[in-house]
Amino acid sequence: MFNWVQPNQLLNVFSDIGVIMLMFIGGLESNLTLLRRFFKPAIVVALCGVIMPVIFMGGAAMAFHFSAFEAAYIGVIFSATSVSISVAVLREYHALDTSEGATILGAAVADDIVGVILLSVMISLMGTQGLKTSGQHTDIVLILLEQVAFFGGTYLVVRWVAPYLMSISEKLLMNSSVTIMSMVICLGMAWIADAVGLSGAVGAFFAGIAVAHSPYRELMEAHMEPIGYAAFIPLFFVGIGLSMSFRYLGQSLGLIVIMTILACLTKLLGCGLGARLTGFSLHSSYVIGSGMISRGEMGMITVQIGLQSGLLSNATYSKMVLVIILATMIAPFMLKRALKPSKKELAPVSDQR
Protein backbone atom coordinates (compact mmCIF):
# COMPACT_ATOMS: atom_id res chain seq x y z
CA MET A 1 0.00 0.00 0.00
CA PHE A 2 2.80 2.45 0.96
CA ASN A 3 5.48 0.96 -1.32
CA TRP A 4 8.10 1.25 1.44
CA VAL A 5 9.34 -2.36 1.28
CA GLN A 6 10.10 -4.27 -1.91
CA PRO A 7 10.37 -8.06 -2.39
CA ASN A 8 13.97 -9.27 -2.64
CA GLN A 9 15.84 -12.57 -2.98
CA LEU A 10 16.32 -13.08 0.77
CA LEU A 11 12.64 -12.45 1.51
CA ASN A 12 11.61 -14.83 -1.28
CA VAL A 13 13.85 -17.61 0.10
CA PHE A 14 12.54 -17.13 3.65
CA SER A 15 8.98 -17.04 2.30
CA ASP A 16 9.48 -20.32 0.40
CA ILE A 17 10.86 -21.98 3.54
CA GLY A 18 7.88 -20.54 5.46
CA VAL A 19 5.44 -22.31 3.11
CA ILE A 20 7.30 -25.60 3.60
CA MET A 21 7.37 -25.18 7.41
CA LEU A 22 3.69 -24.25 7.53
CA MET A 23 2.68 -27.28 5.44
CA PHE A 24 4.94 -29.55 7.52
CA ILE A 25 3.28 -28.32 10.72
CA GLY A 26 -0.12 -28.83 9.04
CA GLY A 27 0.83 -32.44 8.31
CA LEU A 28 2.01 -32.91 11.92
CA GLU A 29 -1.35 -31.67 13.18
CA SER A 30 -3.33 -34.01 10.89
CA ASN A 31 -4.87 -36.45 13.34
CA LEU A 32 -5.38 -39.58 11.21
CA THR A 33 -6.55 -41.52 14.28
CA LEU A 34 -9.48 -39.12 14.62
CA LEU A 35 -10.10 -39.37 10.88
CA ARG A 36 -10.25 -43.18 11.13
CA ARG A 37 -12.65 -43.00 14.09
CA PHE A 38 -15.07 -40.69 12.26
CA PHE A 39 -14.11 -41.94 8.82
CA LYS A 40 -17.52 -42.04 7.12
CA PRO A 41 -18.91 -38.64 8.24
CA ALA A 42 -15.50 -36.93 7.90
CA ILE A 43 -14.92 -38.23 4.35
CA VAL A 44 -18.46 -37.42 3.17
CA VAL A 45 -18.33 -33.92 4.74
CA ALA A 46 -14.88 -33.27 3.24
CA LEU A 47 -15.82 -34.48 -0.26
CA CYS A 48 -19.06 -32.47 -0.37
CA GLY A 49 -17.13 -29.49 0.98
CA VAL A 50 -14.57 -29.83 -1.82
CA ILE A 51 -16.88 -30.59 -4.74
CA MET A 52 -19.29 -27.68 -4.17
CA PRO A 53 -16.64 -24.89 -4.06
CA VAL A 54 -14.81 -26.35 -7.07
CA ILE A 55 -18.02 -26.38 -9.13
CA PHE A 56 -19.64 -23.11 -8.00
CA MET A 57 -16.55 -20.98 -7.37
CA GLY A 58 -15.02 -22.22 -10.63
CA GLY A 59 -18.31 -21.62 -12.46
CA ALA A 60 -18.61 -18.10 -11.04
CA ALA A 61 -15.01 -17.36 -12.09
CA MET A 62 -15.83 -18.45 -15.65
CA ALA A 63 -18.92 -16.21 -15.58
CA PHE A 64 -16.53 -13.33 -14.80
CA HIS A 65 -14.52 -14.26 -17.94
CA PHE A 66 -11.59 -16.03 -16.31
CA SER A 67 -9.94 -18.70 -18.43
CA ALA A 68 -11.05 -22.29 -17.82
CA PHE A 69 -7.71 -23.22 -16.27
CA GLU A 70 -7.62 -20.18 -13.97
CA ALA A 71 -11.27 -20.75 -12.98
CA ALA A 72 -10.53 -24.39 -12.11
CA TYR A 73 -7.62 -23.30 -9.92
CA ILE A 74 -9.81 -20.72 -8.15
CA GLY A 75 -12.18 -23.59 -7.34
CA VAL A 76 -9.25 -25.55 -5.89
CA ILE A 77 -8.18 -22.55 -3.77
CA PHE A 78 -11.57 -22.40 -2.09
CA SER A 79 -11.87 -26.15 -1.63
CA ALA A 80 -9.30 -25.78 1.18
CA THR A 81 -10.28 -25.51 4.85
CA SER A 82 -8.30 -24.15 7.79
CA VAL A 83 -9.86 -25.01 11.13
CA SER A 84 -7.36 -23.27 13.42
CA ILE A 85 -9.89 -20.46 14.04
CA SER A 86 -12.79 -22.93 14.27
CA VAL A 87 -10.88 -24.95 16.88
CA ALA A 88 -10.51 -21.81 19.04
CA VAL A 89 -14.27 -21.16 18.83
CA LEU A 90 -15.15 -24.82 19.50
CA ARG A 91 -12.82 -24.81 22.53
CA GLU A 92 -14.41 -21.59 23.83
CA TYR A 93 -17.87 -23.21 23.64
CA HIS A 94 -16.60 -26.57 25.03
CA ALA A 95 -17.65 -28.30 21.81
CA LEU A 96 -14.34 -29.86 20.74
CA ASP A 97 -15.17 -33.23 22.35
CA THR A 98 -18.58 -33.52 20.67
CA SER A 99 -19.39 -35.54 17.57
CA GLU A 100 -19.77 -32.29 15.65
CA GLY A 101 -16.38 -31.01 16.80
CA ALA A 102 -14.65 -34.33 16.09
CA THR A 103 -16.27 -34.51 12.64
CA ILE A 104 -15.08 -30.99 11.82
CA LEU A 105 -11.51 -31.92 12.82
CA GLY A 106 -11.61 -35.24 10.94
CA ALA A 107 -13.13 -33.62 7.85
CA ALA A 108 -10.44 -30.91 7.96
CA VAL A 109 -7.73 -33.59 7.82
CA ALA A 110 -9.44 -35.29 4.85
CA ASP A 111 -10.05 -31.89 3.24
CA ASP A 112 -6.35 -31.00 3.51
CA ILE A 113 -5.28 -34.30 1.93
CA VAL A 114 -7.80 -33.95 -0.93
CA GLY A 115 -6.80 -30.30 -1.37
CA VAL A 116 -3.09 -31.15 -1.59
CA ILE A 117 -3.84 -33.86 -4.19
CA LEU A 118 -5.94 -31.40 -6.24
CA LEU A 119 -3.13 -28.85 -5.99
CA SER A 120 -0.68 -31.49 -7.24
CA VAL A 121 -2.98 -32.31 -10.18
CA MET A 122 -3.30 -28.63 -11.17
CA ILE A 123 0.46 -28.06 -11.05
CA SER A 124 1.01 -31.25 -13.06
CA LEU A 125 -1.53 -30.16 -15.67
CA MET A 126 0.14 -26.77 -15.89
CA GLY A 127 3.51 -28.43 -16.49
CA THR A 128 2.22 -30.92 -19.05
CA GLN A 129 0.27 -28.17 -20.84
CA GLY A 130 3.53 -26.25 -21.34
CA LEU A 131 5.23 -29.39 -22.65
CA LYS A 132 2.37 -30.12 -25.05
CA THR A 133 2.76 -26.72 -26.67
CA SER A 134 6.44 -27.49 -27.27
CA GLY A 135 5.65 -31.00 -28.54
CA GLN A 136 7.56 -32.91 -25.83
CA HIS A 137 5.08 -35.79 -25.36
CA THR A 138 7.73 -38.20 -24.02
CA ASP A 139 8.50 -35.79 -21.19
CA ILE A 140 4.80 -35.65 -20.24
CA VAL A 141 4.66 -39.42 -19.74
CA LEU A 142 7.93 -39.37 -17.79
CA ILE A 143 6.73 -36.59 -15.47
CA LEU A 144 3.42 -38.38 -14.79
CA LEU A 145 5.27 -41.62 -14.01
CA GLU A 146 7.61 -39.74 -11.66
CA GLN A 147 4.65 -38.19 -9.84
CA VAL A 148 2.89 -41.56 -9.49
CA ALA A 149 6.17 -42.96 -8.12
CA PHE A 150 6.36 -40.02 -5.70
CA PHE A 151 2.95 -40.79 -4.20
CA GLY A 152 3.80 -44.51 -4.05
CA GLY A 153 7.06 -43.67 -2.29
CA THR A 154 5.19 -41.30 0.06
CA TYR A 155 3.14 -44.23 1.34
CA LEU A 156 6.35 -46.14 2.12
CA VAL A 157 7.84 -43.10 3.88
CA VAL A 158 4.68 -42.56 5.98
CA ARG A 159 4.28 -46.23 6.82
CA TRP A 160 7.87 -47.37 7.49
CA VAL A 161 10.78 -45.12 6.49
CA ALA A 162 10.03 -42.00 8.60
CA PRO A 163 9.22 -43.87 11.86
CA TYR A 164 12.42 -45.93 11.39
CA LEU A 165 14.60 -42.85 10.75
CA MET A 166 13.07 -41.05 13.74
CA SER A 167 13.80 -44.00 16.05
CA ILE A 168 17.41 -44.16 14.80
CA SER A 169 17.90 -40.41 15.30
CA GLU A 170 17.10 -40.72 19.01
CA LYS A 171 20.23 -42.89 19.43
CA LEU A 172 22.56 -40.31 17.86
CA LEU A 173 24.90 -38.59 20.35
CA MET A 174 24.02 -35.02 19.43
CA ASN A 175 21.68 -32.29 20.61
CA SER A 176 18.21 -32.08 19.02
CA SER A 177 18.92 -35.14 16.84
CA VAL A 178 15.21 -36.02 16.55
CA THR A 179 14.32 -32.47 15.48
CA ILE A 180 17.16 -32.41 12.94
CA MET A 181 16.00 -35.74 11.47
CA SER A 182 12.45 -34.44 11.12
CA MET A 183 13.81 -31.43 9.21
CA VAL A 184 15.83 -33.77 6.97
CA ILE A 185 12.62 -35.70 6.17
CA CYS A 186 10.65 -32.46 5.63
CA LEU A 187 13.17 -30.75 3.34
CA GLY A 188 14.06 -34.03 1.59
CA MET A 189 10.45 -34.77 0.64
CA ALA A 190 9.92 -31.13 -0.36
CA TRP A 191 12.96 -31.34 -2.66
CA ILE A 192 11.78 -34.64 -4.21
CA ALA A 193 8.28 -33.22 -4.80
CA ASP A 194 9.81 -30.19 -6.50
CA ALA A 195 12.09 -32.44 -8.59
CA VAL A 196 9.12 -34.39 -10.02
CA GLY A 197 7.23 -31.22 -10.98
CA LEU A 198 5.05 -30.80 -7.89
CA SER A 199 5.21 -28.06 -5.27
CA GLY A 200 7.66 -28.49 -2.40
CA ALA A 201 4.74 -27.70 -0.08
CA VAL A 202 3.07 -30.98 -1.16
CA GLY A 203 6.11 -33.00 -0.11
CA ALA A 204 6.38 -31.08 3.19
CA PHE A 205 2.73 -31.80 4.03
CA PHE A 206 3.14 -35.56 3.57
CA ALA A 207 6.44 -35.40 5.47
CA GLY A 208 4.49 -33.93 8.39
CA ILE A 209 2.00 -36.80 8.21
CA ALA A 210 4.92 -39.27 8.10
CA VAL A 211 6.59 -37.80 11.21
CA ALA A 212 3.21 -37.65 12.97
CA HIS A 213 3.06 -41.46 12.58
CA SER A 214 6.12 -41.80 14.84
CA PRO A 215 6.08 -41.60 18.66
CA TYR A 216 7.64 -38.12 18.46
CA ARG A 217 4.67 -36.19 17.13
CA GLU A 218 4.05 -34.02 20.21
CA LEU A 219 7.76 -33.29 20.61
CA MET A 220 8.00 -32.21 16.97
CA GLU A 221 4.95 -29.95 17.26
CA ALA A 222 6.59 -28.27 20.27
CA HIS A 223 9.92 -27.85 18.43
CA MET A 224 8.75 -26.98 14.90
CA GLU A 225 6.38 -24.14 15.77
CA PRO A 226 9.08 -21.94 17.38
CA ILE A 227 11.42 -22.60 14.43
CA GLY A 228 8.74 -21.78 11.88
CA TYR A 229 7.01 -18.87 13.62
CA ALA A 230 10.23 -17.15 14.72
CA ALA A 231 10.99 -15.93 11.19
CA PHE A 232 10.01 -18.08 8.22
CA ILE A 233 6.21 -18.27 8.51
CA PRO A 234 5.68 -14.56 9.34
CA LEU A 235 7.80 -13.65 6.31
CA PHE A 236 5.63 -15.93 4.16
CA PHE A 237 2.62 -13.78 5.13
CA VAL A 238 4.68 -10.62 4.61
CA GLY A 239 5.43 -11.92 1.11
CA ILE A 240 1.70 -12.37 0.46
CA GLY A 241 1.08 -8.76 1.46
CA LEU A 242 3.94 -7.47 -0.68
CA SER A 243 2.62 -9.39 -3.70
CA MET A 244 -0.81 -7.76 -3.40
CA SER A 245 -1.79 -4.75 -5.44
CA PHE A 246 -4.80 -2.51 -4.77
CA ARG A 247 -4.67 -1.26 -8.36
CA TYR A 248 -7.13 -3.92 -9.57
CA LEU A 249 -9.56 -3.96 -6.65
CA GLY A 250 -11.52 -0.77 -7.29
CA GLN A 251 -13.20 -2.09 -10.44
CA SER A 252 -13.65 -5.60 -9.01
CA LEU A 253 -15.81 -4.98 -5.93
CA GLY A 254 -18.75 -6.91 -7.44
CA LEU A 255 -16.53 -9.93 -8.09
CA ILE A 256 -15.06 -9.79 -4.56
CA VAL A 257 -18.48 -9.52 -2.89
CA ILE A 258 -19.99 -12.39 -4.93
CA MET A 259 -16.92 -14.60 -4.46
CA THR A 260 -16.92 -13.95 -0.68
CA ILE A 261 -20.59 -14.90 -0.40
CA LEU A 262 -20.00 -18.03 -2.48
CA ALA A 263 -16.89 -18.90 -0.46
CA CYS A 264 -19.03 -18.97 2.70
CA LEU A 265 -22.13 -20.60 1.23
CA THR A 266 -20.38 -23.39 -0.69
CA LYS A 267 -18.65 -24.69 2.45
CA LEU A 268 -21.68 -24.11 4.69
CA LEU A 269 -24.10 -25.90 2.34
CA GLY A 270 -21.62 -28.47 0.98
CA CYS A 271 -20.29 -29.64 4.35
CA GLY A 272 -23.74 -29.27 5.93
CA LEU A 273 -25.19 -31.53 3.23
CA GLY A 274 -22.43 -34.08 3.83
CA ALA A 275 -23.20 -34.07 7.57
CA ARG A 276 -26.93 -34.44 6.90
CA LEU A 277 -26.29 -37.42 4.58
CA THR A 278 -24.41 -39.21 7.38
CA GLY A 279 -27.21 -38.86 9.93
CA PHE A 280 -26.58 -35.58 11.74
CA SER A 281 -29.55 -33.39 12.66
CA LEU A 282 -30.26 -30.20 10.73
CA HIS A 283 -28.78 -28.06 13.49
CA SER A 284 -25.68 -30.23 13.90
CA SER A 285 -25.17 -30.07 10.12
CA TYR A 286 -25.33 -26.26 10.36
CA VAL A 287 -22.65 -26.33 13.08
CA ILE A 288 -20.38 -28.59 10.98
CA GLY A 289 -20.90 -26.49 7.85
CA SER A 290 -20.10 -23.29 9.76
CA GLY A 291 -16.96 -24.85 11.22
CA MET A 292 -15.56 -25.64 7.77
CA ILE A 293 -15.91 -22.15 6.20
CA SER A 294 -12.55 -20.68 7.24
CA ARG A 295 -9.83 -20.84 4.53
CA GLY A 296 -7.00 -19.20 6.48
CA GLU A 297 -3.44 -20.30 5.83
CA MET A 298 -4.40 -23.24 3.58
CA GLY A 299 -6.10 -20.90 1.13
CA MET A 300 -3.17 -18.46 1.36
CA ILE A 301 -0.63 -21.19 0.62
CA THR A 302 -2.63 -22.43 -2.39
CA VAL A 303 -3.06 -18.94 -3.86
CA GLN A 304 0.64 -18.15 -3.34
CA ILE A 305 1.68 -21.38 -5.09
CA GLY A 306 -0.71 -20.49 -7.92
CA LEU A 307 1.01 -17.12 -8.39
CA GLN A 308 4.52 -18.62 -8.27
CA SER A 309 3.55 -21.41 -10.71
CA GLY A 310 1.99 -19.02 -13.20
CA LEU A 311 -1.50 -20.47 -12.64
CA LEU A 312 -2.82 -17.07 -11.48
CA SER A 313 -2.16 -13.55 -12.73
CA ASN A 314 -1.14 -10.76 -10.31
CA ALA A 315 -4.59 -9.17 -10.62
CA THR A 316 -6.41 -12.43 -9.82
CA TYR A 317 -4.02 -13.14 -6.95
CA SER A 318 -4.85 -9.86 -5.18
CA LYS A 319 -8.59 -10.42 -5.54
CA MET A 320 -8.45 -13.99 -4.25
CA VAL A 321 -6.30 -13.03 -1.24
CA LEU A 322 -8.90 -10.43 -0.25
CA VAL A 323 -11.75 -12.96 -0.65
CA ILE A 324 -9.85 -15.48 1.53
CA ILE A 325 -9.31 -12.83 4.23
CA LEU A 326 -12.99 -11.78 4.21
CA ALA A 327 -14.28 -15.38 4.33
CA THR A 328 -11.88 -16.22 7.16
CA MET A 329 -13.07 -13.17 9.15
CA ILE A 330 -16.75 -14.09 8.65
CA ALA A 331 -16.27 -17.78 9.58
CA PRO A 332 -15.92 -17.50 13.42
CA PHE A 333 -19.00 -15.27 13.68
CA MET A 334 -21.09 -17.82 11.78
CA LEU A 335 -19.78 -20.68 13.94
CA LYS A 336 -20.50 -18.75 17.16
CA ARG A 337 -24.03 -18.05 15.94
CA ALA A 338 -24.49 -21.77 15.21
CA LEU A 339 -23.13 -22.85 18.61
CA LYS A 340 -24.86 -20.34 20.90
CA PRO A 341 -28.32 -21.97 21.05
CA SER A 342 -26.86 -25.48 21.06
CA LYS A 343 -24.50 -25.77 24.02
CA LYS A 344 -26.90 -28.12 25.79
CA GLU A 345 -27.75 -30.03 22.62
CA LEU A 346 -24.21 -31.11 21.73
CA ALA A 347 -23.22 -34.27 23.57
CA PRO A 348 -19.66 -35.54 24.11
CA VAL A 349 -18.22 -37.95 21.57
CA SER A 350 -18.54 -40.87 23.99
CA ASP A 351 -22.32 -40.35 24.14
CA GLN A 352 -22.80 -40.32 20.34
CA ARG A 353 -21.83 -42.45 17.37
Side-chain angles (χ1 to χ4, degrees):
M1 184 181 291
F2 298 108
N3 204 30
W4 292 343
V5 181
Q6 299 296 327
N8 55 53
Q9 184 62 28
L10 182 63
L11 178 64
N12 290 338
V13 170
F14 271 58
S15 178
D16 289 344
I17 296 172
V19 173
I20 288 169
M21 294 292 295
L22 198 54
M23 290 296 276
F24 182 66
I25 291 169
L28 276 176
E29 293 174 347
S30 296
N31 191 337
L32 297 185
T33 303
L34 186 66
L35 177 59
R36 282 194 291 267
R37 188 175 177 189
F38 285 83
F39 185 78
K40 183 183 175 183
I43 290 294
V44 174
V45 167
L47 288 178
C48 290
V50 166
I51 292 168
M52 197 167 281
V54 168
I55 292 173
F56 286 95
M57 297 293 287
M62 289 193 73
F64 279 99
H65 309 295
F66 287 90
S67 69
F69 208 78
E70 203 169 25
Y73 194 79
I74 289 170
V76 171
I77 291 169
F78 290 97
S79 69
T81 294
S82 173
V83 291
S84 52
I85 294 170
S86 298
V87 165
V89 175
L90 289 166
R91 189 178 288 119
E92 179 186 340
Y93 283 82
H94 307 290
L96 261 181
D97 60 346
T98 63
S99 288
E100 290 81 359
T103 300
I104 289 171
L105 295 177
V109 174
D111 195 296
D112 285 351
I113 294 170
V114 173
V116 167
I117 292 170
L118 285 176
L119 177 61
S120 305
V121 169
M122 291 300 295
I123 293 172
S124 301
L125 288 174
M126 181 66 180
T128 54
Q129 196 176 60
L131 289 171
K132 278 180 183 177
T133 57
S134 61
Q136 299 177 40
H137 298 288
T138 308
D139 287 347
I140 296 173
V141 175
L142 181 61
I143 287 172
L144 292 176
L145 288 174
E146 286 175 345
Q147 290 171 1
V148 170
F150 170 79
F151 283 108
T154 296
Y155 174 77
L156 297 178
V157 171
V158 171
R159 193 76 178 83
W160 292 292
V161 177
Y164 179 69
L165 290 175
M166 295 295 287
S167 64
I168 287 177
S169 67
E170 192 178 29
K171 299 170 185 175
L172 298 177
L173 299 177
M174 57 188 293
N175 291 330
S176 305
S177 57
V178 177
T179 305
I180 292 169
M181 182 58 76
S182 72
M183 286 304 303
V184 169
I185 295 168
C186 168
L187 296 174
M189 289 191 68
W191 178 80
I192 294 169
D194 190 63
V196 300
L198 300 171
S199 168
V202 173
F205 179 77
F206 286 110
I209 291 177
V211 172
H213 264 67
S214 72
Y216 309 98
R217 175 184 170 179
E218 291 184 4
L219 176 67
M220 286 307 96
E221 284 184 356
H223 285 196
M224 286 299 115
E225 290 195 7
I227 294 171
Y229 284 97
F232 299 112
I233 295 173
L235 285 177
F236 161 65
F237 288 108
V238 168
I240 288 175
L242 288 175
S243 299
M244 274 196 73
S245 172
F246 290 89
R247 189 186 313 154
Y248 312 100
L249 300 181
Q251 58 244 28
S252 304
L253 288 178
L255 167 69
I256 291 165
V257 170
I258 290 170
M259 287 300 221
T260 302
I261 292 170
L262 282 175
C264 295
L265 287 181
T266 50
K267 278 290 184 185
L268 177 66
L269 298 177
C271 295
L273 174 64
R276 197 80 176 103
L277 290 173
T278 54
F280 282 96
S281 68
L282 193 61
H283 183 265
S284 292
S285 300
Y286 177 46
V287 171
I288 291 168
S290 301
M292 295 290 288
I293 289 172
S294 176
R295 296 327 195 272
E297 71 276 6
M298 289 303 295
M300 291 293 192
I301 290 168
T302 309
V303 77
Q304 183 78 355
I305 291 171
L307 179 66
Q308 292 173 345
S309 305
L311 293 162
L312 297 176
S313 67
N314 287 322
T316 304
Y317 171 86
S318 298
K319 296 166 193 171
M320 294 307 111
V321 167
L322 187 55
V323 172
I324 291 167
I325 292 170
L326 291 173
T328 303
M329 290 173 64
I330 292 168
F333 295 104
M334 294 187 68
L335 182 56
K336 284 184 178 184
R337 180 185 174 89
L339 286 169
K340 270 184 181 176
S342 64
K343 281 197 258 185
K344 295 180 181 178
E345 296 175 30
L346 303 182
V349 169
S350 56
D351 297 339
Q352 299 183 28
R353 293 186 178 272

